[in-house]
Amino acid sequence: MKSWKTVIIPALTIAQLTSALDNGVGLKPHMGWSSWNVAQCNAASAKYALATADKFISLGLKDLGYEYINIDDCWSTKSRDSAGRLVPDPAKWPNGIKAVTDKIHSMGLKFGLYGCAGDKTCAGYPGNEGHEKSDVAQLVSWGVDFWKYDNCYTPCRQSPRPQTCTSPAGSTKTWYAPMRDAILGVQNTKKLHFNLCNWGRDEVWTWGATYGHSWRMSVDNWGDWASVERIGSAAASIHQYSGPGGFNDLDMLYLGSSKLNTNQEKLHFGLWAITKSPLVLGLDLDKISNSTLTIIRNKGLIDINQDPLGKAATTFRPPGSAAPVNGKIYPYWAGPLSDGVVVGLCAGTSAGTYSVNFKDVPGLGGSGSYEWREMYTGQTGKGTSVSFSIGLHDMRVIKVIKETKMEM
Ligand code: GAL
């Protein structure tokens, strides 16, 4: 199905189409929490949503910018009602969804739900295919702010459709368009954030901004170091597609699970922050350790992620450094900020001393002295270079600015 704009005004340029969902939403990477990695289907409940909202306040997360409480797969009953409507599972939502969104809104937070472009969600609950308009109307009536849209049980050459199709019958664009159009159709009453979750298929980063506000660029983060390497390294080559209103989504922050050690958690959070990924916590805030809490509350890193320029960092190669290795985290990263440059140093493959001369950093120009601040250690300095001894899988994130301008 074509978007209404393509049909009605075929002469529209790509530039005009890229503003299709330019509705003031998603100008910065979204921040929040998602139920999925907490307890999968069991966490898709009012109880978890409200408990997490309380934690956002009591742990100071709301003040740092964490905003969305997102409920993932399994929130509805297994079938629609006789009028074709989705039904919130009464065991999980005893007072319905609206009571929860009202409460969450009253706390100054936002609420997200999950759907799927196929005829079933990935966990086998009703999908939205063929019901896009009426389902969006229902979301609006509940006050939902955010809509994650998955890619299971979609049109496929295999029959019956498998959960995850390996031979799709067309581009994912085809089945994401009707939902995008339904969301466009309610712009005047509700500005939904549309999060595409097609797992990076069909190079979604090249068209995601014309369909939604953020797009998953990979298959899931499984919570292990291999996932951080796989996803983090892949973010480098697609950095240019992220910008205000449309960001590469590197998937949820899988911290606090015991699969990553503290160094790995720091690199995970730091790399997601500088590549301008949404920062969505995939963990149970009731069980969070002080060490993980310190990482997710790092205001300097959050400020870098939320910088209004919205440009993602990517790798750069200082003179004499080895070439990037596919699937491994490269040591040297940099990206522009509205008031400077962020440099990331990642000990992704070996512990050691990592140094950069500022003259070699893209965006810092050839000469001059700079002021810098490192976000994990709090160290500050002035000069023409930085050098850190970094433990295996740890990271340093350095904000650099022309001398005398730094606001610390
Ligand atoms: C996957 C998706 C996950 C989660 C899960 C729910 O396809 O990538 O983030 O939403 O489905 O079943």
Side-chain angles (χ1 to χ4, degrees):
M1 183 176 153
K2 288 192 168 178
S3 85
W4 62 271
K5 285 202 173 182
T6 336
V7 174
I8 298 171
I9 320 169
L12 270 183
T13 63
I14 294 292
Q16 285 167 301
L17 274 176
T18 53
S19 62
L21 266 174
D22 184 6
N23 57 8
V25 171
L27 297 180
K28 297 175 179 181
H30 59 276
M31 294 176 62
W33 169 92
S34 162
S35 59
W36 186 247
N37 292 329
V38 175
Q40 288 75 46
C41 286
N42 292 335
S45 67
K47 193 166 146 261
Y48 267 100
L50 294 171
T52 303
D54 283 340
K55 287 282 176 186
F56 269 27
I57 310 286
S58 63
L59 295 175
L61 298 175
K62 180 191 166 200
D63 290 341
L64 286 162
Y66 291 92
E67 185 177 27
Y68 288 91
I69 309 284
N70 291 344
I71 293 295
D72 210 276
D73 206 348
C74 316
W75 56 269
S76 74
T77 53
K78 280 273 169 102
S79 42
R80 291 172 179 268
D81 70 11
S82 56
R85 287 175 303 218
L86 292 165
V87 183
D89 182 342
K92 292 173 176 164
W93 307 89
N95 302 312
I97 301 263
K98 182 144 192 321
V100 175
T101 56
D102 283 349
K103 172 74 184 154
I104 284 176
H105 289 158
S106 77
M107 298 165 85
L109 298 168
K110 293 192 167 133
F111 180 78
L113 267 186
Y114 161 102
C116 187
D119 55 18
K120 279 186 281 190
T121 73
C122 299
Y125 291 77
N128 304 95
E129 185 177 5
H131 298 267
E132 291 85 357
K133 262 182 105 167
S134 51
D135 287 350
V136 165
Q138 207 171 359
L139 298 179
V140 171
S141 76
W142 290 335
V144 172
D145 305 291
F146 179 103
W147 184 234
K148 171 175 171 179
Y149 208 45
D150 218 333
N151 193 36
C152 284
Y153 296 102
T154 46
C156 191
R157 287 186 231 288
Q158 296 145 271
S159 179
R161 290 180 183 185
Q163 188 224 40
T164 307
C165 174
T166 50
S167 185
S171 161
T172 45
K173 273 185 181 183
T174 317
W175 39 95
Y176 276 74
M179 184 51 79
R180 185 270 310 268
D181 293 344
I183 289 173
L184 276 171
V186 299
Q187 291 303 309
N188 292 338
T189 34
K190 182 77 197 186
K191 299 196 189 315
L192 276 162
H193 181 123
F194 190 29
N195 174 247
L196 316 175
C197 178
N198 78 342
W199 321 308
R201 289 199 174 176
D202 302 313
E203 300 190 325
V204 61
W205 43 88
T206 62
W207 50 272
T210 64
Y211 279 61
H213 305 99
S214 52
W215 49 88
R216 282 273 303 280
M217 42 62 84
S218 73
V219 294
D220 291 20
N221 178 358
W222 306 116
D224 50 2
W225 174 246
S227 294
V228 174
E229 285 189 303
R230 168 175 52 84
I231 301 172
S233 60
S237 62
I238 57 171
H239 69 100
Q240 65 275 29
Y241 299 106
S242 278
F247 290 97
N248 289 316
D249 177 353
L250 276 58
D251 202 7
M252 291 162 258
L253 292 159
Y254 216 135
L255 275 64
S257 79
S258 83
K259 288 193 200 172
L260 298 182
N261 63 33
T262 301
N263 283 357
Q264 293 167 339
E265 289 202 337
K266 282 162 69 187
L267 190 145
H268 181 4
F269 191 81
L271 196 53
W272 266 231
I274 69 169
T275 53
K276 302 291 190 279
S277 173
L279 299 178
V280 178
L281 307 167
L283 51 87
D284 190 337
L285 290 172
D286 257 347
K287 300 184 181 145
I288 192 166
S289 68
N290 282 336
S291 149
T292 302
L293 196 52
T294 303
I295 296 169
I296 68 164
R297 289 202 295 208
N298 188 308
K299 182 160 165 25
L301 277 171
I302 291 170
D303 286 348
I304 286 169
N305 177 259
Q306 297 288 298
D307 181 73
L309 193 62
K311 295 270 184 214
T314 186
T315 51
F316 70 98
R317 210 173 149 186
S321 54
V325 176
N326 227 355
K328 296 288 168 197
I329 307 276
Y330 195 64
Y332 306 101
W333 295 71
L337 299 173
S338 54
D339 58 350
V341 164
V342 61
V343 175
L345 297 177
C346 297
T349 47
S350 55
T353 300
Y354 291 84
S355 314
V356 280
N357 288 316
F358 292 141
K359 69 176 170 45
D360 297 327
V361 176
L364 285 183
S367 64
S369 182
Y370 294 89
E371 290 183 57
W372 57 266
R373 178 185 175 86
E374 200 290 312
M375 301 303 162
Y376 278 128
T377 59
Q379 277 176 260
T380 56
K382 288 182 185 185
T384 55
S385 65
V386 276
S387 185
F388 287 93
S389 166
I390 310 179
L392 182 63
H393 296 168
D394 200 356
M395 181 175 186
R396 296 289 176 268
V397 181
I398 305 126
K399 178 172 173 177
V400 189
I401 202 159
K402 273 265 187 212
E403 208 173 338
T404 74
K405 281 203 246 152
M406 182 78 118
E407 275 178 39
M408 299 285 191

